[in-house]
Amino acid sequence: MASYDPSKLKVTKNIGLNSVAFCVARVPNSQRLFFGSSDFKVYELDLAAEKPEPKAFNGDGHQSYVTGLALAGNTLISGSYDGRLMWWNTETKEAQRTVEAHQLWIRGVRVSPDGKRLISVADDMLGKIWNAETGELQHTLVDHKAMTPHNFPSMLFAAAFSPNGEWVATGDKVGHIAIWEVATGKKIAEVEAPGLYTWDPRQRRHSIGGIRSLCFSPDSKLLAAGGIGHIGNIDHLDGPARVEVFEWQTGKRTQEINDKQVKGLVQQIAFDPEGKWLLGAGGDNGGFATFYNLENGQQIHSEKFPMHVHQFALNESSDTLYAVGHHRVAVGEFKAA
Amino acid sequence: MSRTGSFFCGSADHGVSRRGFLGAAALGAAGTFAADMTQLNVLKQEVLANELKKQQKHVILLWLAGGSSQFETWDPKPGRPTGGPFRAIQTSATGVQISELMPKMAQRMQETTSVIRSLNTRNADHGGGAVLMETGRRDDPGIDYPDIGAIVARELGRIDSQVPDYVSMYTSTEGRRKGTSGFLGARYAPMFLSESMIPENIRKLDSISVVDHQDRAALRDMLAKSFQQSRKNDTVNSHTQAYQRVRGLMASEKLFDIEQEPEAMRAKYGPSQFAEQCLIARRLIEAGTPFVKVARAWWDSHGQNFETHRELCADLDHSMSTLLDDLKDRGLLENTLVITLGEFGRTPQINASLGRDHFASAWSCSLSGMGIKPGVAYGKTDPDGHKVAEGEATAGDLFATIMTALGVDPKKEYMIGARPIPVTDFGSKAIQEVLA
């Protein structure tokens, strides 16, 4: 029997930060977190401590926002808007390796389920698969277009490995998703989610949406993409949280969730290990974490978070989420009684 | 000075060089410059030679509607808590760095552009800020002030011009403002393009044939000349000029048609609407229009400021640099002032939506081309961009700087009844450091 109950989600811990935390990695079976920050640094934060305090990693580190983190054993890999990937020893907090990985801003870093591979995605519109241990570049994934259909720079925001480790998906600003074979780097499928591209052709003539989050289902058959729906006022993220779910091998969309009760970007998605629900978190000026029924797309429960959530990590029993975001770290629990 | 074709009607088949056009027109119309179609009196009458000189000057205002971020354009603060994720890059001007989102403009700073980083305009409301920056003074319920386009049209426009004096393009709907000629009157009101890049309502009615239209004009001319011979006065002249002007405007449609441009030139500007409107602006300037405003909306980045600026700065950087190159290649930049300005800047604080809000206490604009000393970064903000640290400038000071660059006396006064109204607000001072 599952240890979780989505209807019970509550924020149980809330810690202020001096900066914006964009990404998080969690040490397994612990409350020890690492987060990447708007002050260009990587921090450790042990929530089990009596007075949890962020401890910065050593050295000069990155030269811009740290927007991606992945933990592979004792090695933490960070990606930044400076285009670099950095490998860190989590015990000494010293940098071990720096790789000039991308020409433009790295938007995300993900590690494969076995911890052996890493993917980085960036605004040079490339996905790159790396050996997580050696830093060797294994494949460069070329597919996403540099310009939007309206001739503005596109952005490659999201990536996710499938739980079986065979595939990796990448998603961009205009709602194009490519699915790649990890072993060969070959593209094997495409999915289109144009409802996540928020181009306003008349009122404000720009866009801020895009695919901000991707996640495969536990059986690797479904792929969920998150972002924001049609925006009434593009200045304020004033649009519904939006998630689309696909049987990616056929391209068939199985769910289209356009949640008008919750405004803002869905910055991260997670599937229920048992396949019943989907969890999306993000925000506008505020933050949210919302559960949706996978069968009918209806909202199960939504909880306000004290900050716009940029990323979260679930614990092993999928009943606690560790969220980072705008000047805060928050813990949400949804344990069954 | 290299010059390619510069044409009034926009067709390569009827090419007349701009200089030739202006020269011939100036000689032919020398007697008409002193005429003023408004009912205003001007205290300082300019001598004809100065008027002739002014007629070759132009302004293009790139209006960044909604308010662009100074941090992501002209005044980056990399590594500061307020600085955002983007780096500063060195420009071609020694010691001047701008945001990495503006790489093409960085290459052109030393030759073309100066920035003012110390605007403190104290109005962070869209409507009020726009009025302030477009008129150079605070709104006054008692006086309907003209905006910069109308003032430039009046000061630099030719009374016998057959092209529009003031063209304003604003195609997005958010924050759309038509502009106003205020007390200068309808003669200097903008030709306002909102729905289409080609003006509506200037075409001949379908119910009138071309021959009929020409015959009517010829008949009117003949009668007018006969009438004028026995009744010489400004009112009659003005009436005749108004008809000539209407015919000129009707013939100016091709100026707005970028299909008239060689494909290579259109490719340089690229496909964005803003870029195409910049190309139209150049075509209008080349044909003699004194003032063109190209509004690019909407920069009001309360949410996702960095994504917004990554998108919009790419458009601005490319369009502005291409426009400056084009003006320079045609020998027009020395007589054209390009202003890049919005109603205000953005806050140093980054809000929870990763946005920046309205901010008028310490922000930036740029001036390029005519009358400007290029490569200057005037003024300074504090390390986090909260306050002006050096060289505080008001909207009036910017106005005075613009007018001085154009050769218009900022203290020149219009008389509204018995009340003198200076072109720029009382107490305004031109920023000499950015003037050539």
Side-chain angles (χ1 to χ4, degrees), chain A residues 128-168:
Chain A
K128 292 190 175 183
I129 297 176
W130 309 81
N131 181 313
E133 185 182 349
T134 66
E136 176 199 2
L137 177 63
Q138 296 184 326
H139 302 294
T140 299
L141 314 180
V142 183
D143 179 61
H144 297 276
K145 290 178 181 163
M147 303 298 283
T148 69
H150 302 94
N151 300 300
F152 294 99
S154 190
M155 301 166 197
L156 187 56
F157 289 115
F161 279 99
S162 63
N164 63 12
E166 289 185 39
W167 306 299
V168 67

Side-chain angles (χ1 to χ4, degrees), chain B residues 7-14 251 254-255 257 260-261 283 287:
Chain B
F7 319 122
F8 164 61
C9 73
S11 164
D13 296 335
H14 301 87
K254 282 189 176 177
L255 292 174
D257 182 6
Q260 305 293 322
E261 286 287 323
R283 287 173 62 77

Side-chain angles (χ1 to χ4, degrees), chain B residues 123-335:
Chain B
N123 190 328
D125 165 70
H126 285 301
V131 169
L132 177 65
M133 300 316 297
E134 287 175 349
T135 64
R137 62 230 305 167
R138 290 176 186 279
D139 204 9
D140 181 342
I143 300 179
D144 187 11
Y145 290 112
D147 67 21
I148 184 173
I151 293 172
V152 169
R154 185 177 189 283
E155 297 301 322
L156 304 185
R158 298 161 49 91
I159 201 70
D160 63 337
S161 171
Q162 296 200 12
V163 295
D165 286 331
Y166 174 9
V167 174
S168 176
M169 292 178 258
Y170 200 135
T171 40
S172 300
T173 59
E174 187 68 21
R176 186 184 282 173
R177 295 174 54 79
K178 184 178 179 183
T180 176
S181 53
F183 60 66
L184 290 179
R187 169 64 179 79
Y188 301 107
M191 174 185 276
F192 187 58
L193 304 181
S194 57
E195 301 302 321
S196 163
M197 285 198 273
I198 294 182
E200 298 166 357
N201 303 321
I202 66 169
R203 289 182 182 157
K204 173 184 69 60
L205 290 173
D206 290 340
S207 58
I208 303 173
S209 72
V210 173
V211 173
D212 281 351
H213 188 66
Q214 288 171 344
D215 284 351
R216 286 182 188 197
L219 178 61
R220 208 210 72 82
D221 284 348
M222 187 188 75
L223 294 172
K225 278 177 187 166
S226 172
F227 189 77
Q228 270 182 292
Q229 280 175 353
S230 56
R231 299 170 186 82
K232 291 193 181 219
N233 64 47
D234 282 351
T235 304
V236 175
N237 281 339
S238 174
H239 195 70
T240 297
Q241 286 155 8
Y243 270 95
Q244 289 169 348
R245 184 171 163 74
V246 167
R247 285 202 294 276
L249 293 179
M250 289 176 72
S252 68
E253 182 177 350
K254 282 189 176 177
L255 292 174
F256 297 87
D257 182 6
I258 59 169
E259 295 292 321
Q260 305 293 322
E261 286 287 323
E263 194 173 330
M265 182 54 69
R266 297 205 307 273
K268 275 187 186 175
Y269 276 86
S272 85
Q273 186 186 67
F274 182 57
E276 289 183 342
Q277 290 175 333
C278 285
L279 177 52
I280 292 171
R282 191 271 289 159
R283 287 173 62 77
L284 289 163
I285 290 299
E286 192 168 38
T289 297
F291 188 93
V292 183
K293 173 181 172 180
V294 183
R296 201 320 175 187
W298 182 243
W299 292 76
D300 196 19
S301 51
H302 294 285
Q304 302 283 287
N305 173 76
F306 307 114
E307 279 68 29
T308 299
H309 280 77
R310 167 132 164 71
E311 188 171 75
L312 298 188
C313 283
D315 197 16
L316 172 64
D317 186 48
H318 176 75
S319 301
M320 184 177 172
S321 58
T322 305
L323 174 65
L324 292 177
D325 288 352
D326 193 11
L327 291 170
K328 191 172 173 223
D329 290 347
R330 288 165 185 268
L332 290 165
L333 189 58
E334 63 193 77
N335 294 321

Side-chain angles (χ1 to χ4, degrees), chain A residues 48 52 88 119-120 179 202 211 236 247 269 277 296 305 326:
Chain A
W88 304 85
I119 184 168
S120 55
I179 297 97
R202 180 164 170 76
I211 292 177
H236 295 273
E247 289 175 359
I269 303 170
W277 49 255
N296 59 23
F305 266 59
H326 195 75

Side-chain angles (χ1 to χ4, degrees), chain B residues 11-59:
Chain B
S11 164
D13 296 335
H14 301 87
V16 178
S17 79
R18 173 181 160 273
R19 186 154 290 171
F21 170 77
L22 289 173
L27 287 171
T32 65
F33 278 118
D36 186 350
M37 295 182 72
T38 71
Q39 297 304 307
L40 299 168
N41 296 310
V42 179
L43 281 182
K44 295 180 181 176
Q45 294 293 331
E46 307 284 350
V47 296
L48 181 60
N50 281 343
E51 292 287 355
L52 284 168
K53 189 179 173 187
K54 283 184 206 165
Q55 306 317 312
Q56 297 180 5
K57 298 174 182 175
H58 316 276
V59 175

